[in-house]
Amino acid sequence: MRIPPEILHHIAIYLDYHQHYQCLRVNSLWYYSFLPAMYRVIRIVTRRQLKLLLLYLLQHRPTNELIREIHLRKTFESTADGGRLRCVGVTNEEVNQLLSCCPYLEVLEFDAGLWNYLQPDKLIQSKHIRRLAPFTRQSIYQVSTRQFNLTSISLHGSIVSQLYASNELFTMLTGVPLLKQLTIDSQQTISHLILIHHTDIEYIHRILPFLEELNISGSIQLVMDKYTDPVQPASAMRRLKIRGNIPARWVYYWGLKYPHLQEWDMDVNYLLGSRNTDRLNTPPISASELEHLLSHLLIHCPQLRSIKLDSLTAGYYMTQSFFDTAQTHPSLKSIRLTHQSPYNLIHRRSFFKLLSKNGHRFVTGLGTEVMGNDIHIDSMLGDLSVFKQLVDLVLCCGHPFYDCAINVILEQCPQLNSLRIRSARLTVQTKIPFNHPLKLLHLNSIAFTSSLFHFLSAHCQQLNHITLYECYQQSKENSINIHLPFHHLDSLIINGLRLTSQDHHQFIPYAKIMSMQVDGQPLRWYHHHSNHPNPAIRKLNEKRSKMVSDYYQNTPYLSAITNISKLKEDLSFGRISVICQSISHWKLLCNVNYYEY
């Protein structure tokens, strides 16, 4: 069957880099259909890549018109105290060159700190630019004095409280009347609490009539004033994300304000509440009003298809009345319950029973923990098996010797994309008869055996995000093998990984030697050197790599390393061996600062 090029081009928008590459190799029709999409989004992680891009743009001008987004991404540099982010620098001359060579560029993202060195005039005035890096105090002045075609603005950090206190926020927003996405994140502590009244929200929608997505987070206290005028609907709004202290009465307001809302994401931070702010709100709603709170939202938002709510608030708001209304709602497809901390999980008692009885059609994400009568993981998964749409699962097993069979979890949850497990001994009992769609695995305070990654390599071929925090491998070997030879990893985060003896009586420090082999290329060796004047991950030179390689192959070469005392000491703690097809981002840290048990 021949698929029209127009359809192939549309499909290409939703594919990642590796899927693009595979499609290019199908035939000539697919090659020329998918090639433009390869240029659409460009991500730069080093200055060298940026210079190569600029050189390419000067030599291949016909393809420059295909570029729509350029992202200068931050990269992570591991250090002994946890690491630091390094941004890709860019000059005014380079920015102007990007704008002139890419006439249809819509998105240019870079580190917000670079605004201090850039001249934003030409950048903001570019005809097709729709989204830029989060604005700072220096750059926001350009927006507040004129009108521009930006459709997305992000404000992060202290600038939020500064603009809000001086009423400059609303003045700035009047300069971007076409705005469709607004993100406000104060990223500050409770000492910089920002009070946002419902009249402020009303004014934002009055000056931004095309706003489709609103994200507000940080030290935010929403205040509902008494109002008598009818609520004017904001018909363009589709997505709402709120983080802060949010009184329940705001849910009623959103139901009336956003009749075409499609995605609602709310995370209530109860620590931000205080006596001084509580008195600013209208009296708390009654128990009968609370019973029908989310039902009101569903009734007034018939297009609402996704609800994301923190589990503590969900326990208050998701009542039998809500689920009764949800059964007949025309659009609701997903309910995802999030967790503010590893311990803010859903106990498998009254609310869990209500979820499993009425929400099994909708719940796509939740977290729960082992109870006293859960002798085996099967007893927990029996309760979870009713959630047929589950894609995000958090399990807190609570004990380092609680056996948790990962194959049982994946068999009971066949659609799982994200799995987080805390405090358990992860085992592999049998193989599973299918390729599981798992993409993210986060292990926290987990004991495992060498068979774990053999299992993941064979049965989780889409796995591309792995995080190991305070984990240890039970083995007599001197190597922790993370061997996924056919996997394209987007991220591998290791923070505190070590070997341990079978009897658990001998404590072994964290492994600080790592070997990495990507796509069959020569092995590269790294050392987490914590005693160096500038502690960081050090790539070993050819001579030291040969010494270390011979050591782990039991070759008598150790005498040559006697003058490298720290490296010699760390060799005995074992190594981490990583083999994969490709890897975009990785970290090796040894700064675990708390103990689970």
Side-chain angles (χ1 to χ4, degrees), residues 520-551:
Q521 297 178 2
L523 202 65
R524 291 174 293 177
W525 289 88
Y526 300 90
H527 179 215
H528 189 283
H529 199 312
S530 56
N531 286 353
H532 194 273
N534 296 308
I537 292 293
R538 302 291 175 183
K539 183 179 178 181
L540 300 184
N541 58 29
E542 183 177 353
K543 180 180 178 181
R544 293 188 180 184
S545 295
K546 180 68 166 61
M547 296 176 184
V548 173
S549 178
D550 288 345
Y551 172 82

Side-chain angles (χ1 to χ4, degrees), residues 258-295:
Y258 306 133
H260 300 294
L261 192 66
Q262 296 178 357
E263 299 176 14
W264 178 54
D265 183 350
M266 185 175 79
D267 194 333
V268 180
N269 188 344
Y270 294 93
L271 298 178
L272 293 176
S274 67
R275 295 180 181 178
N276 294 330
T277 56
D278 288 344
R279 64 181 177 80
L280 299 175
N281 288 285
T282 53
I285 62 175
S286 63
S288 60
E289 289 178 309
L290 190 63
E291 172 75 18
H292 303 285
L293 184 64
L294 290 189
S295 299

Side-chain angles (χ1 to χ4, degrees), residues 166-229:
S166 61
N167 289 325
E168 293 181 62
L169 175 63
F170 304 116
T171 304
M172 180 271 297
L173 292 178
T174 57
V176 282
L178 302 180
L179 204 66
K180 294 183 177 180
Q181 181 185 31
L182 175 61
T183 299
I184 299 174
D185 185 359
S186 68
Q187 299 177 342
Q188 291 179 298
T189 62
I190 191 172
S191 61
H192 293 80
L193 190 65
I194 300 175
L195 302 181
I196 297 182
H197 298 254
H198 90 275
T199 52
D200 299 329
I201 301 297
E202 289 285 338
Y203 187 73
I204 287 176
H205 287 290
R206 195 176 307 130
I207 60 180
L208 302 176
F210 303 104
L211 192 64
E212 297 179 359
E213 180 175 343
L214 178 61
N215 304 317
I216 301 177
S217 57
S219 296
I220 303 296
Q221 166 73 52
L222 298 187
V223 180
M224 179 59 67
D225 303 311
K226 294 182 179 180
Y227 60 92
T228 56
D229 296 335

Side-chain angles (χ1 to χ4, degrees), residues 499-535:
L499 292 161
T500 186
S501 59
Q502 295 288 344
D503 57 8
H504 304 282
H505 294 307
Q506 181 183 3
F507 178 81
I508 301 176
Y510 299 125
K512 296 183 179 181
I513 306 292
M514 173 185 279
S515 66
M516 182 174 295
Q517 187 173 30
V518 178
D519 193 20
Q521 297 178 2
L523 202 65
R524 291 174 293 177
W525 289 88
Y526 300 90
H527 179 215
H528 189 283
H529 199 312
S530 56
N531 286 353
H532 194 273
N534 296 308

Side-chain angles (χ1 to χ4, degrees), residues 281-426:
N281 288 285
T282 53
I285 62 175
S286 63
S288 60
E289 289 178 309
L290 190 63
E291 172 75 18
H292 303 285
L293 184 64
L294 290 189
S295 299
H296 167 86
L297 185 69
L298 290 181
I299 292 171
H300 287 82
C301 301
Q303 299 179 29
L304 188 62
R305 63 192 183 198
S306 173
I307 293 177
K308 192 173 181 180
L309 195 62
D310 69 274
S311 57
L312 186 59
T313 304
Y316 296 131
Y317 291 1
M318 290 187 174
T319 62
Q320 185 64 52
S321 173
F322 162 74
F323 286 111
D324 291 342
T325 307
Q327 299 299 329
T328 59
H329 193 273
S331 304
L332 187 62
K333 302 296 182 184
S334 170
I335 298 175
R336 180 167 297 191
L337 307 182
T338 60
H339 322 283
Q340 296 174 345
S341 72
Y343 303 101
N344 186 17
L345 303 173
I346 299 174
H347 295 279
R348 297 200 323 282
R349 295 187 179 92
S350 56
F351 180 51
F352 188 91
K353 293 178 180 178
L354 182 66
L355 275 180
S356 59
K357 179 181 178 181
N358 301 280
H360 57 273
R361 287 178 45 212
F362 309 107
V363 175
T364 59
L366 60 83
T368 188
E369 56 187 337
V370 169
M371 297 175 64
N373 57 352
D374 291 329
I375 301 176
H376 194 268
I377 190 66
D378 289 338
S379 57
M380 175 190 286
L381 293 174
D383 295 337
L384 292 173
S385 61
V386 299
F387 299 105
K388 301 300 183 183
Q389 307 299 322
L390 200 62
V391 297
D392 186 358
L393 177 62
V394 179
L395 292 178
C396 184
C397 300
H399 196 281
F401 304 121
Y402 182 88
D403 286 336
C404 181
I406 189 170
N407 59 288
V408 176
I409 298 174
L410 300 184
E411 285 178 355
Q412 294 290 341
C413 306
Q415 298 191 47
L416 210 60
N417 292 146
S418 172
L419 175 61
R420 296 172 174 85
I421 306 177
R422 184 183 179 88
S423 305
R425 181 165 53 196
L426 207 58

Side-chain angles (χ1 to χ4, degrees), residues 5 12 18-19 21 75 92 141 180-181 190 246 312 342 345 357 381 409 455 469 488 494 500 563 586:
H18 301 292
Q19 292 169 332
Y21 181 72
T75 56
N92 278 305
Y141 176 75
K180 294 183 177 180
Q181 181 185 31
I190 191 172
I246 308 165
L312 186 59
L345 303 173
K357 179 181 178 181
L381 293 174
I409 298 174
F455 174 85
Y469 186 92
H488 298 279
I494 300 174
T500 186
N563 61 334
W586 63 273

Side-chain angles (χ1 to χ4, degrees), residues 101-113:
C101 292
C102 306
Y104 299 105
L105 188 65
E106 297 176 357
V107 176
L108 180 58
E109 289 194 340
F110 46 85
D111 182 68

